[in-house]
Amino acid sequence: MEMPKAVNGHGKNSKPRIGICVTKKKWCSMNFTQFQDFCHERNIEIIRVSDPETLRKCDYLLHKLKPPSEIDANEDANLAMQILKAKNIHNINAYEDCCVLFDRLRTFQKLSISGNFPGNFLPENCSFITTIKAESARDSHQLQFPLICKRTILTGTNLDHSMVIVFNQEQLSKLDRETFIVQQFINHDGLLIKVSVIGDQVFVSSRTSIKCIKQPFPTEEIHLLTSQISKQTPEHASPQLLSCLLPEDSAAQIANYVSRRLRLNLFGVDIIQDSTSGRSYIVDVNYFPGYSDAIADADFGYDFIHSQLHSIIKNCLENPGQKWTDRFEIHYV
C-alpha cells in the first residue's frame, strides 16, 4: 500500500514528515538516528523536534513531553504550548492522553473508571493496586501498614524512582502529603514483572524488586531508589517462568485494557504478584518507555523495535484516530 503524502502544506509529492520530540538521552538510547535512516528508506522523513521552528515542519508528531505546567525550561514549555495549540499537526498519541501518565493518581483513577467497551476486563486474578493521596491515608480503612509512598507527579528525573516505605502514622506524617500518593506494600518475592507494549507487540520481562518485609517491622522508614534496585534481571526468572506467572492471554488482556482505556499504543506496565495469594497487582504505568529489555535481552534488536515504531506511524497515517489493536503478539524475554 502506498504511504499517504504529507498534509502540512509541504507539497503533494512530499514525504510525510514525522517529528520526534524526546530528550537527548532517549534519542540516543533508542538510536533514533538509525531510525531516521530506517524510515527514509520507507519514504518517511523523520525530524528531530527541539524548538517551535522544527515543530512547524512536521505533519505528525511522536513525543514524550511533560505537561506544560511541569516543565521548568522556558523554551521547552513554549514548545509544549505550541504542540497543544497546533491545529495542523497530528499527534500519533494525543498530548492530553500522554500527560495523564505524568500524574500517578490520575492514571489509576482513569484506569479504574468503569465503562462498557471491548477489552473492558482485566484477567480475573489481576487488579490495580489501591492508590490514594497521602493526605487521605490517615483516615482511610482501605490500606494497612506498611505503605509505599511514591511521588504523585513524575518529573522525568531520578525523583520519579525515589520512594519511601513507612510502617506507622508517625512516619507517614513526616512526608509532604501533597507530594505523595500511597499504595499498600505487598510482599512479592523481590520480582517485578514488566509488560512493555509497542503497537501490537508485547514484551514480558522481569527485574529485581524490593525484598519481602516481615514482622517485626523496622523502626525507621525505608528510603529507596527503585531505578537502582531494578537494574538486574533475577537469575531465577526465566522466560519460561514468566510465561507461567503471566500467561499470554493475561498479558494480551492487560495490554488491551490499558491501551483502550488510556488511548495509547506506547507504554509499560509494572506488575507484582502477592507472594502469599499469587494475585497480580498493577502498580505503575509509564508512557513510551525505553524498551531496553526488548533491545538488550531479546533477539530483536533495534531493527525490530524500529520496525514496530514504523508500523505505528504507518497505521496512524492510514487510519487516523485508531490507537489500538485487538491482537497482540507476546514475547517473553
Side-chain angles (χ1 to χ4, degrees):
M1 183 179 293
E2 185 180 356
M3 187 65 70
K5 302 300 182 183
V7 296
N8 200 16
H10 302 300
K12 287 185 177 181
N13 297 317
S14 299
K15 297 179 180 179
R17 296 183 174 187
I18 313 295
I20 295 183
C21 185
V22 295
T23 63
K24 181 179 180 181
K25 179 181 178 181
K26 192 169 186 68
W27 179 275
C28 294
S29 68
M30 293 200 69
N31 206 358
F32 275 128
T33 299
Q34 179 180 318
F35 186 52
Q36 284 181 308
D37 297 334
F38 183 92
C39 288
H40 179 75
E41 295 171 0
R42 290 155 179 80
N43 206 36
I44 295 177
E45 181 178 356
I46 297 295
I47 298 171
R48 184 177 180 182
V49 175
S50 56
D51 52 46
E53 183 176 348
T54 49
L55 176 65
R56 284 191 287 270
K57 297 177 181 179
C58 303
D59 303 302
Y60 298 83
L61 184 68
L62 179 63
H63 68 86
K64 187 172 184 178
L65 271 178
K66 294 181 289 184
S69 59
E70 303 300 327
I71 298 176
D72 295 327
N74 290 332
E75 186 174 353
D76 287 342
N78 180 42
L79 178 59
M81 291 304 299
Q82 292 293 325
I83 292 173
L84 279 173
K85 294 177 181 178
K87 302 297 184 185
N88 57 345
I89 298 175
H90 182 84
N91 281 282
I92 292 174
N93 284 303
Y95 193 11
E96 295 84 352
D97 294 331
C98 302
C99 286
V100 170
L101 267 68
F102 284 94
D103 185 325
R104 281 188 168 114
L105 188 61
R106 282 186 66 199
T107 298
F108 278 90
Q109 288 172 340
K110 188 166 184 177
L111 286 169
S112 59
I113 294 173
S114 61
N116 295 317
F117 59 89
N120 189 34
F121 301 102
L122 290 170
E124 185 176 345
N125 196 38
C126 179
S127 59
F128 295 100
I129 194 79
T130 300
T131 303
I132 63 175
K133 294 180 181 179
E135 60 190 22
S136 305
R138 179 186 296 273
D139 303 318
S140 174
H141 300 290
Q142 297 174 279
L143 303 173
Q144 294 180 335
F145 290 102
L147 303 175
I148 185 163
C149 309
K150 304 177 180 180
R151 293 184 177 271
T152 305
I153 304 299
L154 302 181
T155 61
T157 68
N158 265 341
L159 286 175
D160 300 344
H161 306 284
S162 177
M163 301 180 188
V164 186
I165 301 175
V166 298
F167 301 92
N168 53 54
Q169 284 287 357
E170 182 181 356
Q171 294 171 1
L172 180 62
S173 65
K174 294 178 183 178
L175 300 177
D176 179 357
R177 297 188 188 180
E178 294 185 0
T179 304
F180 290 89
I181 51 97
V182 297
Q183 296 175 340
Q184 183 77 58
F185 178 80
I186 295 173
N187 283 327
H188 51 283
D189 294 324
L191 179 68
L192 181 70
I193 301 173
K194 300 184 74 68
V195 177
S196 302
V197 179
I198 175 168
D200 60 0
Q201 304 294 310
V202 179
F203 302 93
V204 182
S205 59
S206 64
R207 284 289 179 260
T208 51
S209 185
I210 305 166
K211 294 180 180 179
C212 291
I213 299 175
K214 299 180 179 179
Q215 292 183 323
F217 294 139
T219 56
E220 300 291 333
E221 65 268 26
I222 299 175
H223 294 262
L224 45 88
L225 196 63
T226 55
S227 57
Q228 297 297 321
I229 296 173
S230 62
K231 275 189 172 181
Q232 298 179 339
T233 301
E235 293 181 2
H236 66 283
S238 64
Q240 291 75 20
L241 174 62
L242 287 176
S243 66
C244 294
L245 296 176
L246 192 71
E248 286 193 15
D249 57 345
S250 295
Q253 212 170 342
I254 290 169
N256 190 27
Y257 182 95
V258 175
S259 65
R260 287 177 175 273
R261 186 56 62 91
L262 297 180
R263 298 178 55 80
L264 297 173
N265 49 31
L266 296 163
F267 59 89
V269 180
D270 291 347
I271 299 171
I272 61 172
Q273 289 193 336
D274 190 320
S275 56
T276 302
S277 68
R279 185 168 186 80
S280 296
Y281 293 93
I282 295 174
V283 296
D284 230 336
V285 183
N286 303 289
Y287 174 61
F288 203 173
Y291 302 103
S292 58
D293 297 314
I295 292 173
D297 299 331
D299 229 358
F300 308 108
Y302 284 111
D303 285 345
F304 183 80
I305 298 299
H306 291 165
S307 70
Q308 298 312 309
L309 284 173
H310 175 267
S311 177
I312 288 173
I313 290 170
K314 187 171 183 291
N315 183 63
C316 174
L317 297 175
E318 295 173 353
N319 305 289
Q322 182 66 24
K323 296 283 196 301
W324 49 75
T325 177
D326 289 319
R327 293 188 175 183
F328 294 90
E329 186 174 347
I330 313 299
H331 310 276
Y332 293 94
V333 296

